[in-house]
Amino acid sequence: MIGDKEIRTIAGSFQAQGRCIDCMPYGHGHIHQTYLARFQTDHGVRDYILQQINSAVFRDPPAMMENILLVTSHIRQKLEAIGCQDIARQVLTVVPDATGMPYYLDERGRFWRMYVFVEDSMAVEMPQDCRQVYQAAMAFGRFDAVLADLPAARLHQTIPAFHDGRARLSQLMEVLRSDPLNRAIQAKPEIDFILGHSRILLEPSELLNAGAIRPQATHNDTKVNNVLLDRKTGQGLCVIDLDTVMEGVWLYDLGDILRTTCSVAAEDEQDLTKVQICMDRYKAAVKGFIEGSQGRIGPDQYRYISLSGQFMALIMATRFLTDFIAGDRYFKISRPSQNLDRCRCQCRLVASMLQQAEQIDAVIASAV
């Protein structure tokens, strides 16, 4: 546990304005330890986001921060070119440490980073209505469109094979063979479901290899809480959590916003009868993302929209299950079997998508 004095000293190692007066835990992220750092300046209190980077997940923090600097600089240049007057609220600003590096390495070998806090913004864990779904989806579609001309080959692979369905299946099979905590018996229906629908996990890579979809720089973690909304207008403002921005395909980004918004149930809901697709939300997500993409996704690509949601829900089910069997090493948990519950929700979501395929196709047609 990091003490107050130590965390304030770490915050003070960055080139933030003023003197650090407080640091408190902030947000609900699964991976990093995040704090709201408050600094006293001559003009009042200014806030920053301070994070201890989870180097067990992101094995090369300097490479990850190099990606983030490249992406944020690219976006900032695009905003400047169109005369945007609110750039500081529409793209993250990395605060360097005292030596000018985009991260701070403390004496214990821990990596830290700092961002300027985006004022008058909010993130929602669960969207309250279709408008929030639409705004978040549009922000991600716009994000991908802005990065379309950034050579994806310049980006480091911060998590190799992140959305590689074949690799995720192999990881699941490997941990099932060892079953270190004898947990597989608790998850037999989920194991059977994932293996029985494994074809879905292979389709995006086959489409990519066939040239049916094109690679580009994508976000790859488009949960609704990774978009900051304007607190006053509710409009999508700034895409955050850029750790996994690397080469991908638009299917990943649309699919993840679909899986995290088209059901009103929480990601770890234990009552699976609540895990239902809301067609109005599904339509709002598709419409927002396609409009945000500014024509980058053409009619010839629309046939893959339904696959995007199925794929991302199933690959997350696979990851949650793998982590549960392995002993909850990757995703943070607050109670026993939480990762198994997360897996069950994703399996239920895939099943619902497949059962309502005709209705979903009609919704997609009306949205695009």
Side-chain angles (χ1 to χ4, degrees):
M1 187 72 177
I2 302 175
D4 291 344
K5 182 177 179 180
E6 183 181 8
I7 194 68
R8 287 199 301 271
T9 299
I10 291 169
S13 299
F14 289 87
Q15 295 183 38
Q17 296 180 19
R19 175 179 59 87
C20 184
I21 56 174
D22 192 21
C23 276
M24 62 193 80
Y26 186 82
H28 303 89
H30 289 326
I31 307 301
H32 307 299
Q33 187 64 50
T34 303
Y35 300 87
L36 178 66
R38 312 206 77 192
F39 282 71
Q40 183 67 54
T41 75
D42 293 340
H43 305 288
V45 175
R46 186 164 189 187
D47 293 336
Y48 296 84
I49 292 295
L50 175 68
Q51 289 185 314
Q52 180 186 345
I53 297 172
N54 187 336
S55 56
V57 173
F58 293 95
R59 302 297 180 88
D60 191 349
M64 179 179 68
M65 293 309 299
E66 186 177 325
N67 279 4
I68 291 172
L69 282 180
L70 179 62
V71 167
T72 53
S73 296
H74 186 85
I75 296 172
R76 185 169 284 105
Q77 289 171 7
K78 291 290 187 76
L79 292 173
E80 290 172 350
I82 62 173
C84 178
Q85 300 299 308
D86 201 18
I87 292 177
R89 298 180 69 232
Q90 295 191 36
V91 62
L92 289 176
T93 301
V94 176
V95 180
D97 78 340
T99 68
M101 298 297 290
Y103 56 85
Y104 171 66
L105 181 62
D106 70 18
E107 58 186 15
R108 298 190 192 180
R110 299 171 300 189
F111 286 89
W112 299 79
R113 66 179 173 202
M114 181 178 280
Y115 296 111
V116 174
F117 186 82
V118 179
E119 299 291 344
D120 297 319
S121 69
M122 63 179 185
V124 296
E125 294 301 312
M126 289 289 291
Q128 298 176 1
D129 51 39
C130 290
R131 184 170 185 270
Q132 287 188 342
V133 173
Y134 173 84
Q135 288 295 331
M138 176 176 273
F140 282 124
R142 187 168 57 237
F143 180 86
D144 282 8
V146 169
L147 295 185
D149 61 345
L150 175 66
R154 295 180 61 188
L155 296 169
H156 300 281
Q157 292 293 305
T158 55
I159 301 182
F162 189 50
H163 288 326
D164 185 327
R166 191 179 301 276
R168 293 300 185 182
L169 274 174
S170 296
Q171 290 166 4
L172 174 61
M173 298 307 296
E174 182 178 349
V175 77
L176 285 173
R177 281 191 289 270
S178 61
D179 195 12
L181 300 175
N182 298 313
R183 289 181 169 184
I185 190 65
Q186 302 176 50
K188 188 177 185 307
E190 291 71 38
I191 295 168
D192 290 344
F193 182 89
I194 291 171
L195 297 182
H197 293 84
S198 59
R199 178 67 190 165
I200 293 171
L201 295 176
L202 307 180
E203 287 192 51
S205 60
E206 292 176 356
L207 291 171
L208 185 58
N209 291 337
I213 52 178
R214 298 183 302 275
Q216 73 148 92
T218 48
H219 187 278
N220 296 305
D221 190 17
T222 54
K223 298 187 295 289
V224 68
N225 60 0
N226 281 337
V227 170
L228 298 180
L229 304 176
D230 188 291
R231 192 174 290 278
K232 295 177 181 177
T233 67
Q235 292 184 326
L237 187 63
C238 180
V239 171
I240 62 173
D241 196 356
L242 307 180
D243 302 344
T244 56
V245 176
M246 48 189 167
E247 185 173 270
V249 293
W250 66 265
L251 286 178
Y252 303 157
D253 284 359
L254 175 54
D256 213 21
I257 194 69
L258 283 171
R259 80 164 186 92
T260 57
T261 61
C262 72
S263 173
V264 297
E267 190 175 59
D268 60 351
E269 177 60 60
Q270 293 176 282
D271 181 357
L272 295 181
T273 63
K274 295 181 180 179
V275 184
Q276 303 272 343
I277 293 176
C278 172
M279 291 299 171
D280 288 341
R281 289 186 175 213
Y282 196 105
K283 180 177 180 178
V286 171
K287 187 176 180 63
F289 192 87
I290 295 298
E291 291 182 2
S293 72
Q294 302 168 18
R296 186 178 55 87
I297 302 171
D300 61 320
Q301 305 277 291
Y302 294 165
R303 72 186 78 175
Y304 308 128
I305 290 175
S306 60
L307 170 64
S308 72
Q310 297 167 18
F311 172 79
M312 285 307 304
L314 192 60
I315 202 168
M316 287 307 302
T318 306
R319 293 177 62 198
F320 286 139
L321 181 57
T322 300
D323 201 32
F324 171 73
I325 301 297
D328 306 306
R329 298 176 179 177
Y330 184 93
F331 296 105
K332 289 181 183 178
I333 59 169
S334 59
R335 55 177 170 78
S337 299
Q338 188 173 17
N339 276 324
L340 180 56
D341 290 333
R342 288 166 173 159
C343 169
R344 286 171 173 161
C345 284
Q346 298 308 302
C347 289
R348 171 74 176 184
L349 201 56
V350 175
S352 183
M353 290 176 178
L354 293 172
Q355 290 164 5
Q356 301 180 74
E358 290 187 8
Q359 191 175 353
I360 285 174
D361 286 344
V363 167
I364 292 170
S366 67
V368 299

